[in-house]
């Protein structure tokens, strides 16, 4: 792995250890073997060997409360002895390796061979050369000077091959570099909370050392192995290592082992870090993979893909932010079909490749037959042995012409265009606050038809403030005056809020003068603490009096309880429990309420109903979240049974109910209007009460009064979609989802059910493409199930980010609209490129083919064809793929899965322009010499000098392409093709640059390019004919497409071809249809294809350093999604491909790579 294989890494660590072993009370080996134990075994071992966790802390010279002193020499020493918290990545491919891979392209190999044969023959002067008997088909023996120049064509072909290879390799290389940059950016952002010198600090994950005291909380992904030393109600999902989906409860005396790569699902606490990097459990498994990697590499050589550029180097410990989720996705989420665009391109490419192959074969056959018939039959020349080389030379020339036809026919620029377009979009999307983790998500977003959004933080600002309160029988419409509240009530209220909230939640002074105070931690709790400050009180003294270690028991908030409670021991040994939570839930458990004098009075169900009507519903209808704060006292003996939650969380006394406002973000209503105009339905899925949700939905514009829509609560939704047996039925969901706009009081499972229901629905003729936003750990399943998952960059937990495709770095809904715009832009860029490229293809192939058949020589020479190929592939893909998106993209409906890649309008443009170009080129070919009064270039002998005639044809051809490139900027039949052209400097540069190079080639290209310098008036004619393209474009735009019913569309995906789910689970079936056809011989274009597939699928491999833990986690995350378990084969399969993967260069999962089972 990387420069230092893991075995070296180990031995180095071992040596260090033996020398420094004495400095700490335990060696790395001991700690490593300790971490391999689980549960009770581990507890026993700790007792026997060390005594308790405190003793281990002492041996590691750290304090459970203060943490490490954090001095540089101490940290350095720890890193030397116990290792660093990162796993050495794999080396990136060198430029030379990339060049070598680019050379593997079949077409290029054919060209190289042809060029070498041609070179060899030009240096070989056979004795029969002068023999009149050897027919040079067109008579006219060449003069001596020309014979010397025979090598030029071969050399020129080789040179152009080198150009193509370097361009390809450079592209891959820069792609990889960009990607690593993005990766490291994600890594640096990944921080973890530790205690050093008594201060709570956030440090990058790689800085964590053995002996650190780390604070773990709900939603964290553990970055290292450690021992649990203190905390409450900590539950961990260890499925990534064990495959068991049940959450494991951790406690100091029963199971204190915390392992890297596992997820905290509930609770909080502190852990002592005992193993990092390659010595942690995840690291060890990685190492095994790394060691196993060498043998596998040999086996996998055959399956190796051309484009294995950048390994996605995610250190597994760093939230494995990059890759893991990815393969997990590919392996377990069989519902993700190939991305729409990719499916369409694959199909189109195969069709074009076939056509090209057939054309080139026919060209060669016709040329060879014509030559043999003409020479041996018509002229009755005998085949003389000394003439063989001459004939062979002709055959080589014909072969080269055939190959050039093929080269031009195959759109190898297509993968390049896709890559460039996606890479460019991803780079620009960073500026629009979208951090794209899976490239194809970018393009899928353009097809989105539905967005299921969270409310808090996405549609709203996530700055919670208490604006109404009900205290002591009075409903205050604004913050009450502190003097109007009874002192007993006030004291209870402040204690209840300060103690019963995470101590990591604080309100800090503003960073700038005049700004709002900063809210840190859980925003709802911040709102409550803010309420305390607004009452001119302070929560800090209460907290310092009752530090976190003294809390007797904490019931942390989770999606089932929807409340949080904390038990403390009072000075008289009795217990008091403070509780807070969603008002309708907590009020049901209250039997008393504090009156104006601060005395509890009886609170009956009918009082509650009245309160709901008079207080809670009015608050909710103003769009406020209502939170109830309550308490309960317990006697000291007998001590209550704290594990019996139902009895404990009951008979509470209500202190107050507050209404918290979370204002709608100012830019959201506009963004939602844009979505609706673009044909995207926005649905709000929230845990809030239905009145609050409805009020916010109206403010956002998700629902408009008087429309026919549904707002449901989770319970009601479940009742409607399940049959008598309680099973979910698709047709029941189909009755609901089209009208559903708001789902309130919903659980994460409801969100998942809704998303799955919409995706699986066959209710509409197009399959719905669903985007989902989420921030909590519990949103994971829905984020994974969706076609595009957006995680919140600021408020999101690691688990949510891990399951997502795009991270919104500013948590803002309007960034999603930008993503839609970019996604549609990618699709349009590809279409523009196709429209341009196919016109060139059609024309070049027909010209070469007919030219060869009629005049025995292609009017466009091999080198010229390669140049045209370079313009239309590489340059045009750069120019057309970097068009910036415009707001107009949001004015149309999504394309959907069955819309063909090449629409009728595009087909009309392609054929229309092809007709114009062919008409002119054939005119020039057959009567050009008369028009320009020059010698005819037709029927020239083998090594004759280039003619002006053919140069004019070549030049005109290129000029027409250049002007047609401007036409190609519009694909929906718009009139103004220059619209916004100056907003794209790349486009202008490329068009002008190509023009300049063309001048150089024609005037000074000479023999290698088969060009003869032209006069100014000839140039003018060429440019004039080129300009005609723009005029002709207007003519074509005038013809109504609706009249041209006969035009076929191409590149559509039919329903049949979306591969059925079962197939994707079978290894055997991993060959996609296109590849099956290609087996028959059109491998030629494969490299391109792979590249697209690869670009679009970031498949990560274990070796690339990322996903081991992903693999393991995958296995489990699959099992843990109970809904989907039914469709999975059990241990879920993990596809391992050897190619290292980068966002833009990954081996198609389809290539039927050797697969191996998930590891443990």
């Amino acid at each position: 792995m990387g420069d230092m294989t893991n075995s070296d890494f180990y031995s180095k660590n071992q040596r260090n250890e033996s020398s420094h072993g004495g400095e700490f009370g335990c060696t790395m080996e001991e700690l490593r073997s300790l971490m391999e134990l689980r549960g009770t075994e581990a507890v026993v071992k700790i007792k026997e060997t060390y005594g308790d966790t405190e003793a281990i802390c002492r041996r590691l010279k750290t304090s459970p409360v203060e943490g490490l002193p954090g001095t540089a020499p101490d940290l350095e020493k720890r890193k030397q002895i116990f290792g660093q918290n990162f796993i050495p990545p794999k080396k990136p491919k060198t430029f030379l390796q990339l060049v070598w891979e680019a050379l593997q392209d079949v077409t290029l190999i054919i060209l190289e061979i042809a060029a070498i044969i041609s070179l060899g023959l030009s240096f070989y002067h056979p004795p029969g050369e002068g023999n009149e008997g050897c027919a040079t088909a067109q008579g006219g023996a060449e003069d001596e000077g020309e014979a010397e120049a025979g090598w030029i064509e071969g050399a020129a072909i080789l040179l152009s091959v080198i150009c193509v290879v370097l361009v390809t390799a450079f592209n891959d290389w820069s792609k990889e570099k960009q990607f690593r940059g993005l990766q490291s950016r994600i890594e640096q952002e990944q921080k973890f909370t530790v205690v050093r010198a008594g201060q709570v600090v956030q440090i990058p994950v790689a800085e964590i050392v053995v002996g650190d005291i780390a604070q773990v909380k709900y939603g964290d992904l553990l970055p290292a192995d450690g021992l649990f030393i203190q905390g409450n109600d900590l539950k961990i999902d260890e499925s990534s290592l064990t495959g068991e989906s049940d959450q494991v409860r951790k406690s100091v005396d029963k199971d204190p082992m915390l392992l890297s790569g596992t997820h905290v699902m509930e609770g909080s606490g502190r852990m002592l870090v005992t193993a990092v990097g390659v010595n942690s459990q995840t690291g060890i498994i990685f190492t095994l993979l790394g060691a196993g990697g060498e043998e596998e590499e040999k086996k996998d050589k055959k399956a190796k893909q051309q484009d294995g550029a950048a390994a996605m180097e995610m250190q597994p410990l760093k939230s494995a932010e990059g890759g893991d989720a990815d393969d997990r996705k590919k392996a377990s989420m069989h519902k993700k079909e190939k991305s729409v665009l990719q499916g369409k391109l694959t199909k189109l490419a195969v069709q074009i490749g076939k056509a090209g192959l057939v054309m080139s074969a026919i060209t060669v056959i016709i040329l060879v037959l014509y030559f043999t018939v003409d020479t041996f039959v018509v002229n009755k020349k005998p085949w003389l042995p000394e003439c063989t080389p001459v004939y062979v030379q002709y055959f080589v020339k014909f072969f080269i012409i055939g190959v050039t036809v093929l080269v031009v026919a195959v759109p190898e620029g297509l993968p390049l265009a896709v890559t460039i377009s996606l890479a460019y979009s991803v780079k620009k999307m960073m500026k629009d606050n979208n951090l794209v983790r899976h490239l194809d998500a970018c393009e899928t977003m353009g097809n989105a038809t539905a967005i299921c959004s969270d409310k808090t933080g996405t549609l709203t600002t996530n700055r919670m403030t208490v604006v109404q309160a009900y205290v002591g029988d009075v409903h205050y419409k604004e913050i009450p005056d502190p003097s109007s509240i009874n002192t007993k009530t006030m004291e209870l209220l402040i204690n209840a809020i300060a103690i019963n909230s995470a101590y990591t939640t604080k309100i800090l002074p503003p960073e700038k003068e005049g700004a709002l105070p900063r809210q840190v931690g859980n925003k709802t709790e911040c709102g409550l603490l803010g309420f305390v400050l607004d009452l001119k009180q302070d929560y800090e003294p209460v907290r310092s009096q009752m530090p976190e270690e003294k809390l007797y028991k904490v019931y942390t908030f989770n999606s089932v309880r929807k409340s949080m409670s904390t038990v403390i021991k009072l000075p008289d040994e009795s217990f008091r429990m403070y509780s807070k939570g969603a008002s309708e839930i907590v009020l049901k458990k209250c039997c008393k309420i504090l009156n104006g004098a601060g005395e509890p009075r009886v609170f009956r169900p009918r009082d509650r109903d009245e309160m709901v009507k008079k207080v809670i519903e009015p608050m909710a209808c103003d769009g406020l979240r209502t939170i109830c704060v309550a308490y309960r006292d317990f006697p000291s003996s007998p001590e209550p049974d704290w594990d019996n939650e139902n009895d404990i969380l009951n008979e509470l006394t209500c202190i107050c109910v507050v209404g918290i406002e979370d204002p709608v973000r100012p830019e959201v209503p506009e963004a939602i209007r844009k979505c609706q105009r673009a044909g995207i339905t926005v649905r709000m899925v929230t845990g809030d009460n239905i009145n609050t949700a409805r009020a916010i939905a109206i403010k956002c514009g998700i629902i408009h009064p008087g429309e026919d829509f549904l707002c449901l609560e989770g319970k009601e939704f479940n009742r409607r979609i399940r049959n008598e047996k309680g099973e979910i039925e698709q047709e029941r969901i189909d009755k609901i989802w089209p009208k559903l706009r708001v789902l309130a009081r919903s659980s994460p499972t409801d969100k998942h059910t809704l998303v799955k229901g919409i995706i699986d629905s066959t209710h509409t003729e197009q399959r719905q493409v669903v985007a989902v936003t989420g921030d909590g750990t519990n949103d994971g399943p829905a984020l994974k199930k969706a076609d595009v998952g957006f995680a919140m960059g600021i408020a999101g937990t690691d688990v949510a980010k891990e399951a997502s495709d795009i991270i919104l770095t500013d948590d803002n809904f309007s960034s999603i609209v930008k993503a839609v715009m970019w996604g549609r832009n990618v699709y349009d860029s590809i279409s523009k490129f196709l429209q341009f490229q196919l016109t060139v293809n059609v024309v070049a192939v027909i010209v070469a083919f007919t030219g060869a058949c009629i005049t025995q020589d292609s009017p466009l020479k091999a080198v010229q064809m390669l140049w045209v190929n370079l313009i239309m592939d590489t340059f045009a893909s750069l120019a057309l793929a970097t068009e910036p998106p415009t707001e107009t993209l949001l004015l149309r409906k999504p394309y959907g899965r069955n819309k063909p890649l090449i629409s009728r309008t595009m087909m009309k443009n392609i054929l229309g322009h092809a007709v114009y170009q062919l008409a002119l080129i054939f005119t020039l070919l057959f009567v050009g010499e008369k028009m320009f009064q020059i010698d005819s270039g037709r029927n020239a002998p083998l090594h004759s000098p280039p003619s002006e005639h053919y140069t004019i044809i070549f030049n005109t051809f290129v000029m027409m392409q250049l002007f047609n490139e401007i036409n190609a900027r519009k694909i929906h039949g718009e009139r103004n093709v220059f619209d916004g052209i100056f907003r794209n400097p790349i486009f202008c540069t490329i068009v002008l640059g190509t023009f300049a190079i063309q001048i150089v080639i024609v005037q000074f290209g000479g023999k290698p390019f088969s060009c003869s310098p032209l006069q100014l008036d000839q140039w003018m004619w060429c440019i004039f004919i080129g300009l005609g393209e723009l005029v002709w474009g207007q003519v074509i735009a005038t013809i109504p497409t609706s009249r041209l019913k006969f035009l076929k569309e191409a590149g559509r995906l039919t329903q049949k071809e979306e591969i059925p789910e079962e197939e994707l689970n079978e290894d055997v079936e991993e060959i996609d249809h296109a590849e099956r056809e290609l087996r028959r011989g059109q491998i030629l274009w494969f490299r391109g294809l792979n590249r697209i597939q690869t670009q679009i699928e970031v498949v990560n491999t274990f070796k690339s350093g990322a996903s081991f833990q992903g693999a393991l986690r995958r296995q489990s995350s699959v099992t843990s999604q109970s809904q989907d378990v039914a469709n999975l084969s059990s241990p879920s399969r993990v596809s391992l491909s050897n190619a290292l993967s980068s966002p833009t260069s990954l081996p198609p999962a389809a290539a039927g790579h050797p697969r191996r089972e998930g590891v443990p």
Side-chain angles (χ1 to χ4, degrees), residues 357-498:
L357 202 66
V358 172
M359 289 294 270
S360 64
I362 297 177
T363 313
V364 174
I365 294 168
I366 291 182
L367 285 171
V368 172
L369 283 178
Y370 189 101
F371 175 78
T372 42
V373 170
D374 187 61
T375 311
F376 303 123
V377 182
V378 182
N379 297 334
K380 305 210 169 34
K381 294 268 166 62
W383 178 296
L384 302 169
E386 62 269 28
C387 290
T388 311
V390 182
Y391 297 145
V392 171
Q393 221 159 351
Y394 270 103
F395 290 144
V396 169
K397 179 178 156 190
F398 299 150
F399 179 62
I400 289 179
I401 292 172
V403 174
T404 5
V405 172
L406 178 64
V407 171
V408 176
V410 174
E412 47 305 35
L414 206 50
L416 194 66
V418 179
T419 315
I420 291 175
S421 182
L422 284 173
Y424 172 77
S425 304
V426 168
K427 210 168 168 181
K428 292 287 187 202
M429 280 169 83
M430 291 287 281
K431 292 200 179 78
D432 286 339
N433 303 310
N434 283 299
L435 177 69
V436 181
R437 294 185 52 228
H438 305 139
L439 268 186
D440 51 346
C442 172
E443 169 255 324
T444 314
M445 229 10 242
N447 284 318
T449 53
I451 298 175
C452 295
S453 171
D454 268 0
K455 174 180 79 71
T456 313
T458 313
L459 299 173
T460 58
T461 53
N462 206 4
R463 262 202 81 85
M464 308 281 190
T465 36
V466 173
V467 289
Q468 296 187 21
Y470 178 89
V471 189
D473 294 343
V474 189
H475 183 176
Y476 297 95
K477 292 285 188 187
E478 56 249 6
I479 301 287
D481 186 304
S483 56
S484 64
I485 298 177
N486 177 290
T487 46
K488 270 200 269 184
T489 311
M490 181 69 101
E491 191 189 345
L492 270 168
L493 178 61
I494 286 154
N495 278 326
I497 291 176

Side-chain angles (χ1 to χ4, degrees), residues 597-663:
E599 297 301 329
R601 66 175 169 83
V602 179
F603 185 62
R604 289 185 297 274
R606 67 161 184 273
D607 301 333
R608 185 172 69 232
D609 297 340
E610 192 185 353
M611 183 153 166
V612 166
K613 265 198 207 67
K614 297 251 177 75
V615 179
I616 292 178
E617 284 185 359
M619 281 188 187
C621 293
D622 294 340
L624 306 182
R625 288 177 74 167
T626 53
I627 300 281
C628 174
V629 182
Y631 78 102
R632 178 182 177 184
D633 285 330
F634 294 98
S636 54
S637 66
E639 186 170 328
D641 170 12
W642 300 116
D643 289 338
N644 186 348
E645 255 179 72
N646 294 343
D647 293 354
I648 302 283
L649 297 182
N650 224 328
E651 299 180 19
L652 308 174
T653 306
C654 169
I655 305 173
C656 75
V657 173
V658 294
I660 296 186
E661 182 186 44
D662 184 5

Side-chain angles (χ1 to χ4, degrees), residues 205-221:
V205 170
E207 296 295 312
I208 293 176
V209 295
V210 171
D212 259 325
I213 302 294
Q215 289 198 339
V216 296
K217 59 179 188 310
Y218 159 82
D220 281 344
L221 178 84

Side-chain angles (χ1 to χ4, degrees), residues 918-953:
L918 287 169
L920 281 162
I921 287 182
F922 285 136
T923 311
L924 287 175
L925 182 58
F926 297 113
V927 294
E929 70 271 25
K930 299 191 186 67
M931 289 160 55
F932 289 105
Q933 276 106 39
I934 46 176
D935 298 335
S936 162
R938 295 196 301 280
N939 300 347
L942 193 59
H943 291 306
S944 56
S947 63
E948 281 184 355
H949 182 191
Y950 273 12
T951 308
I952 291 177
I953 294 178

Side-chain angles (χ1 to χ4, degrees), residues 274-324:
T274 53
V276 293
V278 284
N279 303 308
S280 65
Q281 292 304 298
T282 315
I284 291 171
I285 300 175
F286 245 100
T287 316
L288 297 177
L289 278 174
E294 270 60 83
E295 298 90 76
E296 276 164 20
E297 222 154 85
K298 297 187 185 80
K299 278 185 274 181
D300 275 8
K301 267 291 190 284
K302 300 186 198 77
K304 187 134 184 174
Q305 238 46 39
Q306 260 82 1
D307 237 342
M312 186 146 168
E313 291 318 5
M314 268 315 312
Q315 279 55 349
L317 307 172
K318 312 221 170 146
S319 142
E321 182 65 67
D324 288 301

Side-chain angles (χ1 to χ4, degrees), residues 584-597:
E584 51 268 56
I585 291 171
V586 177
L587 279 176
K588 279 195 186 123
K589 299 176 178 169
C590 290
C591 63
K592 298 196 181 97
I593 185 165
L594 295 181
N595 62 16

Side-chain angles (χ1 to χ4, degrees), residues 21-37:
E23 302 201 12
F24 294 100
C26 34
T27 64
M28 186 176 75
E29 275 304 295
E30 289 170 9
L31 289 174
R32 241 177 82 179
S33 53
L34 174 65
M35 292 317 293
E36 279 161 13
L37 303 174

